């Protein structure tokens, strides 16, 4: 399939709004411009056969000025110079020792082609920034709403449900992989599939039915839509940069000029960013991580590295590492002085002064269920230690025979 058609099809299939289509790289129109450059080369007598060009693109503020340099024979020189003069081109000719000279010229159609492409990219960059800005705004708004409905200080809050939702979302690795060998940004199609799977998973677990706050359900809908929009924007950016690559390749093939090596660098320098590389994943996802997912802390970040349950009551050793009091007491009983994480000798002299009071209050607030459960287990364990040889706390104390 021709790329122009493929481009149109992709934009259509993705349900891209008309405004986006308008702002996309105008591949078809640019293709026509290439034909005009070819015609122009012929008109001025610089036919592409058996000629080799050196090509440069100079930039003065927002104006691009491509220049080509080539050796011309004495015979050709007369023809070319008279045509260039007739058609009002600016050029320079330097006589070479011996036969012929070196001609440097800026062609009109050539200039127009690159100027058009450049301005389309400029527009696209502005549009991309707008889209990212809107997405970031959505994240901020969601952060405010979920910050409220998911706050432990709100009565009948949805903290646990949001934690579950975000946990599923993080595990889905919609935009970035950490598990696979090829870790890093994932392909647009993969992202879309993973996002759909995440939504299906949320629905299967019926977790949304447990939401109690009125704004929570709407916030989830917005969260879902926003993620699909990120994928759409990323896809749109990727398609456009593909279109630029394709059009430059086509240009080079038809004109024998060498733009594919030059133009991306000009763009990069000029925009002070590689806009031919989609940035929306990186930028917006960073904001989602920092502003949204962190609102509801995840248990994984607050577990004791030994027993893997919530680190309550948290003992912070002098080395800075933190363990639950039960695990620490067990270490001390074994007279183990080395911190299991960094091997510093800090365990034995730890006492109640090492209790991290602020962290304890935090855990009580954000993980009340886990903390209660842990306390029950601790009590059971202590009971077992004291009376374990007489009774088992898990079994009824009297049995009827
Ligand atoms: Zn522990
Ligand atoms: Zn340590």
């Amino acid at each position: 399939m021709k790329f122009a058609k493929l481009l149109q099809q992709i934009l259509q299939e993705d349900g891209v709004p008309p405004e986006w289509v308008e702002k996309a790289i105008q591949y078809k129109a640019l293709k026509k411009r290439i034909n005009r450059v070819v015609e122009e080369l012929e008109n001025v007598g610089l036919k592409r056969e058996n000629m080799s060009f050196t090509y440069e693109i100079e930039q003065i503020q927002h104006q691009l000025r491509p220049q080509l340099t080539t050796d011309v024979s004495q015979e050709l020189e007369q023809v070319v110079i008279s045509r260039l003069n007739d058609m009002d081109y600016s050029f320079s000719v330097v006589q070479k020792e011996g036969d012929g000279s070196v001609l440097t010229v800026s062609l009109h159609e050539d200039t127009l082609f690159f100027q058009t492409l450049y301005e389309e990219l400029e527009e696209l960059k502005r549009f991309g920034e707008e889209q990212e800005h809107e997405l970031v705004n959505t994240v901020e708004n969601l952060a405010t709403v979920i910050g409220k409905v998911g706050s432990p200080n709100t009565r009948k809050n949805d903290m646990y449900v949001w934690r579950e939702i975000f946990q599923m979302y993080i595990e889905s690795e919609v935009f970035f992989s950490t598990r696979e060998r090829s870790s890093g940004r994932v392909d647009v199609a993969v992202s879309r599939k993973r996002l759909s799977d995440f939504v299906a998973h949320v629905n299967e677990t019926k977790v949304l039915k447990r939401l109690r706050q009125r704004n929570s359900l709407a916030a989830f809908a917005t969260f879902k839509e926003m993620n699909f929009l990120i994928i759409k924007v990323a896809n749109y950016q990727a398609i456009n940069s593909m279109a630029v690559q394709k059009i430059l390749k086509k240009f080079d093939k038809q004109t024998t000029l060498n733009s594919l090596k030059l133009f991306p660098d000009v763009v990069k320098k000029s925009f002070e960013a590689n806009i031919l590389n989609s940035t929306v994943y990186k930028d917006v996802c960073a904001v989602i991580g920092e502003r949204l997912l962190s609102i509801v802390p995840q248990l994984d970040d607050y577990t004791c590295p030994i027993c893997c349950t919530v680190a309550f009551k948290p003992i912070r050793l002098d080395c800075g590492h933190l363990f639950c009091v039960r695990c620490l007491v067990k270490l001390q009983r074994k007279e183990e002085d080395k911190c299991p994480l960094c091997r510093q000798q800090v365990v034995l002299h730890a006492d109640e002064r090492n209790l991290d009071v602020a962290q304890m209050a935090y855990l009580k607030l954000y993980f009340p269920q886990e903390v209660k459960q842990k306390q029950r287990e601790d009590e059971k364990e202590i009971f077992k230690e004291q009376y374990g040889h007489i009774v088992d706390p898990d079994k009824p104390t009297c049995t009827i025979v």
Side-chain angles (χ1 to χ4, degrees):
M1 193 190 297
K2 288 248 169 93
F3 184 71
K5 210 160 179 201
L6 184 71
L7 184 68
Q8 208 180 4
Q9 196 182 321
I10 295 174
L11 291 172
Q12 250 167 24
E13 271 175 11
D14 209 20
V16 167
E19 190 202 3
W20 296 24
V21 178
E22 235 169 72
K23 289 192 165 129
I25 293 293
Q26 301 300 307
Y27 185 82
K28 250 185 175 167
L30 285 165
K31 232 173 83 181
K32 280 186 191 148
R33 289 215 168 278
I34 296 178
N35 295 338
R36 292 203 209 147
V37 180
V38 176
E39 270 169 39
E40 185 179 39
L41 282 168
E42 279 170 13
N43 288 344
V44 296
L46 295 170
K47 272 196 181 165
R48 54 199 174 104
E49 289 92 17
N50 62 45
M51 290 203 75
S52 80
F53 301 104
T54 330
Y55 199 50
E56 263 175 73
I57 302 175
E58 197 189 5
Q59 185 184 9
I60 302 147
Q61 285 175 343
H62 293 272
Q63 297 296 316
L64 293 192
R65 199 159 149 262
Q67 263 188 330
L68 57 95
T69 304
T70 183
D71 288 348
V72 281
S73 62
Q74 223 161 24
E75 184 191 352
L76 188 61
E77 191 184 321
Q78 299 306 319
V79 186
V80 174
I81 289 177
S82 78
R83 287 190 189 173
L84 289 173
N85 272 328
D86 285 351
M87 289 185 260
D88 215 16
Y89 280 97
S90 66
F91 63 94
S92 70
V93 183
V94 179
Q95 288 296 325
K96 278 203 320 186
E97 264 178 53
D99 184 36
S101 46
V102 178
L103 167 78
T104 303
V105 60
S106 247
L107 296 176
H108 297 163
E109 289 296 341
D110 189 26
T111 306
L112 214 53
F113 171 83
F114 282 103
Q115 192 61 32
T116 310
L117 184 57
Y118 181 82
E119 280 167 16
E120 280 180 16
L121 278 171
E122 231 177 7
E123 179 72 20
L124 210 52
K125 187 191 181 224
R126 259 198 301 274
F127 186 50
E129 281 166 356
E130 259 173 52
Q131 287 176 317
E132 288 192 29
H133 185 71
E134 267 174 45
L135 283 168
V136 169
N137 265 348
T138 309
V139 178
E140 296 286 349
N141 290 339
L142 273 175
T144 310
V145 175
I146 299 172
K148 212 163 172 194
V149 294
S151 161
N153 298 318
T154 301
R155 239 172 60 85
K156 289 192 172 176
N157 65 69
D158 287 327
M159 180 172 72
Y160 272 90
V161 183
W162 277 109
R163 178 172 295 145
E164 244 176 87
I165 292 172
F166 285 161
Q167 177 71 37
M168 284 187 241
Y169 179 75
I170 292 165
E171 281 168 5
S172 302
E173 298 194 326
V174 176
F175 300 114
F176 293 95
S177 271
T178 52
R179 283 183 296 234
E180 284 136 41
R181 237 187 303 162
S182 56
S183 67
R185 205 175 103 184
V186 297
D187 187 72
V188 171
V190 175
S191 283
R192 192 170 281 148
K193 163 90 173 62
R194 290 186 182 175
L195 183 57
S196 300
D197 289 350
F198 158 71
V199 174
H201 191 197
V202 168
N203 290 332
E204 268 164 34
T205 53
K206 296 193 167 62
V207 70
L208 298 177
K209 290 217 159 67
R210 283 170 28 221
L211 289 168
R212 294 189 289 182
Q213 294 280 325
R214 210 152 32 98
N215 292 338
S216 277
L217 209 54
F220 180 75
T222 307
F223 180 70
K224 188 175 79 181
E225 278 161 29
M226 178 190 73
N227 275 280
F228 278 113
L229 188 58
I230 294 170
I231 292 172
K232 205 180 255 187
V233 171
N235 198 28
Y236 177 74
Q237 290 181 346
I239 288 167
N240 277 298
S241 80
M242 202 204 295
V244 173
Q245 299 284 330
K246 289 266 179 191
I247 203 76
L248 292 176
K249 256 191 199 161
K250 199 166 243 340
F251 178 91
D252 287 0
K253 199 174 160 202
Q254 295 194 5
T255 62
T256 68
L257 300 174
N258 203 349
S259 71
L260 193 58
K261 281 200 184 118
L262 284 172
F263 189 71
D265 278 347
V266 171
V267 170
K268 204 168 163 181
K269 219 163 94 193
S270 162
F271 296 137
E272 285 171 358
N274 191 358
I275 62 156
L276 296 175
N277 232 336
S278 171
T279 54
V280 67
Y281 272 15
K282 207 173 113 241
D283 297 352
V284 182
C285 294
V287 182
I288 291 181
E290 282 160 24
R291 295 282 298 119
L292 200 57
L293 303 180
S294 60
I295 286 177
V296 189
Q298 291 291 339
L299 184 63
D300 284 355
D301 298 327
Y302 298 93
T303 51
C304 162
I306 297 178
C307 63
C308 298
T309 61
V310 66
F312 195 80
K313 302 160 175 181
I315 302 294
R316 192 173 296 282
L317 296 175
D318 291 350
C319 59
H321 290 122
L322 197 138
F323 301 91
C324 76
V325 71
R326 291 292 302 157
C327 290
L328 195 88
V329 165
K330 282 178 197 166
L331 284 177
Q332 287 185 334
R333 278 190 198 145
K334 282 193 277 182
E335 296 201 8
E336 175 58 68
D337 196 21
K338 286 180 184 156
C339 162
L341 292 181
C342 69
R343 315 303 294 164
Q344 285 189 62
Q345 297 185 315
V346 286
V347 172
L348 290 179
H349 71 262
D351 55 28
E352 64 270 19
R353 282 170 299 186
N354 289 71
L355 180 70
D356 189 331
V357 180
Q359 179 87 338
M360 188 157 98
Y362 182 87
L363 294 176
K364 257 186 171 168
L365 187 63
Y366 283 98
F367 301 97
Q369 293 175 14
E370 289 83 353
V371 162
K372 256 185 214 150
Q373 166 86 8
K374 176 96 170 185
Q375 280 175 313
R376 269 200 301 271
E377 279 163 13
D378 282 358
E379 279 162 20
K380 250 193 217 171
E381 217 172 297
I382 294 166
F383 186 84
K384 219 173 184 173
E385 279 163 14
Q386 288 175 345
Y387 307 107
H389 58 290
I390 309 170
V391 282
D392 184 338
D394 284 333
K395 287 191 179 150
T397 43
C398 25
T399 41
I400 301 159
V401 186

